[in-house]
Amino acid sequence: MLRISVTSKLDGIRSWSLQALDTCPGSVENGKLVDACSGCYATTGNYRYPNVKAPRLENAVDWKRDAWVDDMVSTLQNDRFFRWFDSGDMYAVELAEKIHAVMARTPWVKHWLPTRMAKFPKFRKILDAMKNLENVSVRFSSDSVTGVYVKGLHGSVIIPNDATMDESVSVCEAYKHAGKCSGCRNCWNKSIETIAYPAHGKSMLKVIRLKSI
C-alpha cells in the first residue's frame, strides 16, 4: 500500500519517504555521521513518533512490489510537483531504477529528489538518467553545515543563518515565511544549480556551533 506524506512546509505538495538514517548510507563516513546528518530534522520532533515512523517503515517494504511503479504513476495523476524523500534516501539501485521509471512516466509532474547516493559509483548511471529527464531536479547534497560545496556537483548545501553566498547560489527564504515554501518552487527548478538552506532547528544549530569552536 502506498504511503504518501504531506508536509506543511511544502504548501501541501506530497512526498514519498523512508525512515531517516536507516536508509541513508551516504550519511556516514569513517564510522560517524557527516555534519549535515548529525542535526537531521527527520530524527527529531514529530518524526520520532510511532505513527509518523510507520508509513516510512512500510514504504521500505512496499516499493519492492511488482506493481509499485504502476501504483505510483496512478497516484500522481493530479500532482504537478512532487518531492522524493523528506526523510531517508534511495539506498538501493533497484529502488532508484523504479523511481526513475515513475519520473519518466509522469512528465506532467516536476520531481525534486535530494540525495547523497552520488557518493557511490553504482548509482551514478541511474542518477544521470534521472537528471536527463526534463521534469526532474536531482540535487546532490553537500555534507557541510557551513556552506562548503563543490560547484558543478552539489545542488544543495546547509549554511549558517548569517552566511553570505555567491550570486550563483539561491538561498532558501522559507525562514522568512514561518518555515514554509509560500509558493517558491526553486528546488524543482533545474536551471538553479545550487540552493543554500539556512540552518534551522536546535540540533542543527548545535552542530554549527560545535564546528565553529
Side-chain angles (χ1 to χ4, degrees):
M1 175 180 176
L2 295 177
R3 299 298 296 268
I4 303 296
S5 305
V6 179
T7 53
S8 58
K9 177 186 186 299
L10 299 181
D11 302 335
I13 291 172
R14 303 195 301 164
S15 60
W16 185 91
S17 303
L18 297 171
Q19 185 61 23
L21 302 186
D22 295 347
T23 59
C24 303
S27 68
V28 178
E29 286 191 2
N30 299 319
K32 65 179 184 179
L33 290 174
V34 300
D35 291 338
C37 298
S38 297
C40 178
Y41 65 85
T43 61
T44 62
N46 291 337
Y47 283 90
R48 295 174 296 177
Y49 296 127
N51 65 314
V52 178
K53 288 183 176 181
R56 290 161 173 78
L57 294 172
E58 290 176 25
N59 282 341
V61 177
D62 187 60
W63 73 262
K64 299 173 184 178
R65 292 187 296 113
D66 290 341
W68 184 82
V69 171
D70 290 338
D71 290 348
M72 282 295 300
V73 172
S74 293
T75 201
L76 292 177
Q77 287 300 315
N78 295 319
D79 292 79
R80 293 300 174 264
F81 292 89
F82 193 77
R83 174 178 176 171
W84 294 91
F85 303 109
D86 65 78
S87 65
D89 206 341
M90 51 181 190
Y91 62 99
V93 172
E94 294 80 8
L95 171 58
E97 291 172 341
K98 285 193 170 185
I99 290 173
H100 173 260
V102 174
M103 293 169 166
R105 289 176 55 185
T106 55
W108 61 87
V109 181
K110 288 188 178 296
H111 296 265
W112 163 32
L113 187 148
T115 184
R116 297 183 195 283
M117 301 314 293
K119 294 179 178 182
F120 306 104
K122 65 181 180 179
F123 283 88
R124 290 175 187 162
K125 182 177 179 180
I126 191 63
L127 286 168
D128 284 343
M130 290 178 179
K131 291 174 71 175
N132 285 335
L133 294 173
E134 291 185 3
N135 61 320
V136 177
S137 173
V138 177
R139 296 194 177 277
F140 300 152
S141 305
S142 167
D143 293 335
S144 172
V145 295
T146 57
V148 178
Y149 73 100
V150 177
K151 188 174 178 59
L153 173 63
H154 293 127
S156 67
V157 62
I158 296 169
I159 59 173
N161 285 308
D162 58 354
T164 300
M165 300 300 291
D166 182 271
E167 290 181 356
S168 64
V169 177
S170 176
V171 177
C172 174
E173 295 189 349
Y175 68 95
K176 295 181 179 180
H177 308 287
K180 300 182 185 299
C181 294
S182 295
C184 177
R185 299 293 180 263
N186 284 351
C187 293
W188 288 266
N189 188 340
K190 292 171 70 80
S191 68
I192 298 177
E193 186 172 320
T194 305
I195 300 205
Y197 300 101
H200 62 280
K202 293 181 180 179
S203 296
M204 187 59 70
L205 294 174
K206 181 180 179 181
V207 172
I208 290 176
R209 283 197 299 271
L210 292 174
K211 291 294 291 183
S212 65
I213 294 176

